[in-house]
Amino acid sequence: MGIEPTRSDDWLPTETLEFPEGFLWGTSNAAHQVEGGNVNNDWWAWEQKAGSPCVEPSGDSTDYWNRYEEDLDLCARGGGQNVHRFSLEWSRIEPAEGFVSQVALDHYKRLCDAILERGLTPMVTFHHFTTPQWAAAEGTWADAAIVDRFARFCEIAAAALGPDRLPYVCTINEPSVVATLGYFVGMFPPGVNDADAQAQASANFVRAHAKGYGAIKAVAPEAQVGISLAMQDTQVADPDDDAARGFAEFVDFRMVGFFVDALRTGWIENLGPVVADEEVPGLAGCGDFVGVQYYARFVADPSSPMFTTPEPEGSEITQMGYASYPPGLGVCLRRAATTELPVIVTENGMATDDDKRRCAWIAAHLAVSHEAMTEGGVDLRGYTYWSTTDNFEWALGYGPKFGLIGIDRENGLARVPRPSLDFFDEIARTNRLDPAVVAEYVGLGT
Ligand code: GAL
């Protein structure tokens, strides 16, 4: 038994696909990956620590803190994009417990206004991986105290921004990734290797989502607020391999199932001995949408060093080491829809130096998304490509290139728009995926 090679080209559209009116088209980034100089969060400390798994520190990053207008001008230039997703850096707004920086709040107000002035809609993420060092000093997400701290931050930031700047909000980005890589694998801060801590962090994240949701909606009742979940299509190479199947089920539950179930039922359940089952007030159906962030399949194999079956010869491998596997996005969208909430693809993108392959990735994943809407009945409202520009890819540093816009790090962080930006803009402007346009940008037949 094995798995089939996979590449974007196998999933390109063969006919013109129209997207619904009002579909959200845009790009996504996150504060710590682009702003630069975020010295007060746990990631900065992690990057500097002796023996850190980070290949390089974030440093000045792309200086989005100062240069966001340049990036927004590029996002708006094609006239098709209508949303821009970014995140608030909690450690800038509250660098010490209880001290709220008006300067930081004013910055984010100006950023939202700059987005709105260009005809884009802000989609504001309140927590994207980073936590202020003062909160990290005390167990961070494994300690239940974080829930009220995060809710208070949501209250403060939402009140300062006000309802007009908060049409779309993601409370928390990929809680399963932080819980797993930070508390179980030890590759993200706080660098813990403890399955119980992973469970506690997962539970605190869903509690924080429910409380944060309430705090944001109290200020902005009309805001569309959701949580963005990391989703992967978990498979096994051989369905008769019981050990692999059991392992796959466990990984899938901790990475995806737990969070989808929590949103659907309102219960924290099945996290093992340290987290008692609990019904969380307000958690059932908590959200106006659910964000799906999809990159790859995960072929579970407990006996392999990376816990995953290597991709077969012929698969298209990205700079992240995983393969382009578009149909997995369809699986994840259908699964997200079991929450009965509308769905937005809040992240999906390819790290590559070959921009034509990026165009193929986009086309194939949009074709699969379209099918999930039309055949799968998924109420899909939008797609924000990861990422606006190349940026700091966490422990992997500046190597992986995800951007529709390149950043010339040798030349003053100059913005270098790629053809994929024009391609994406054309899809957005016409609200359709046309095979002839795809062929042109992917370079088919050339
Ligand atoms: C996601 C994460 C982003 C970005 C992306 C690409 O897991 O939310 O911050 O790093 O992956 O790997």
Side-chain angles (χ1 to χ4, degrees), residues 30 33 85 128-129 173-174 177 230 293 295 320 322 347 386 391-394 402:
Q33 294 178 270
R85 176 172 180 251
H128 193 125
F129 287 8
N173 180 79
E174 298 194 347
V177 169
Q293 315 213 142
Y295 290 90
M320 299 297 285
Y322 45 69
E347 280 186 31
W386 182 272
N391 59 49
F392 178 68
E393 177 54 26
W394 307 110
F402 278 99

Side-chain angles (χ1 to χ4, degrees), residues 2-3 237 297 299 301 304-313 315 317 321:
I3 48 171
R297 65 180 172 189
V299 186
D301 180 356
S304 107
M306 297 303 286
F307 303 112
T308 175
T309 307
E311 282 293 336
E313 190 75 18
S315 280
I317 308 297

Side-chain angles (χ1 to χ4, degrees), residues 176-317:
S176 67
V177 169
V178 180
T180 304
L181 294 185
Y183 297 81
F184 185 61
V185 178
M187 202 171 131
F188 279 17
V192 168
N193 301 96
D194 175 359
D196 290 346
Q198 196 272 0
Q200 284 160 333
S202 301
N204 287 328
F205 270 123
V206 299
R207 294 183 184 115
H209 165 62
K211 270 212 156 176
Y213 177 87
I216 294 160
K217 293 291 271 196
V219 172
E222 304 295 317
Q224 298 294 295
V225 184
I227 188 168
S228 282
L229 299 180
M231 289 193 145
Q232 59 196 20
D233 184 5
T234 306
Q235 307 179 356
V236 286
D238 175 2
D240 295 330
D241 179 344
D242 290 342
R245 259 207 358 260
F247 176 67
E249 277 164 23
F250 177 75
V251 171
D252 183 66
F253 178 72
R254 287 290 180 104
M255 290 303 293
V256 182
F258 164 74
F259 296 92
V260 173
D261 290 355
L263 286 182
R264 201 179 46 235
T265 63
W267 279 80
I268 286 172
E269 279 179 304
N270 302 318
L271 280 182
V274 293
V275 181
D277 290 355
E278 165 194 338
E279 187 171 19
V280 178
L283 180 60
C286 181
D288 305 296
F289 70 91
V290 56
V292 168
Q293 315 213 142
Y294 172 80
Y295 290 90
R297 65 180 172 189
F298 177 74
V299 186
D301 180 356
S303 62
S304 107
M306 297 303 286
F307 303 112
T308 175
T309 307
E311 282 293 336
E313 190 75 18
S315 280
E316 175 176 30
I317 308 297

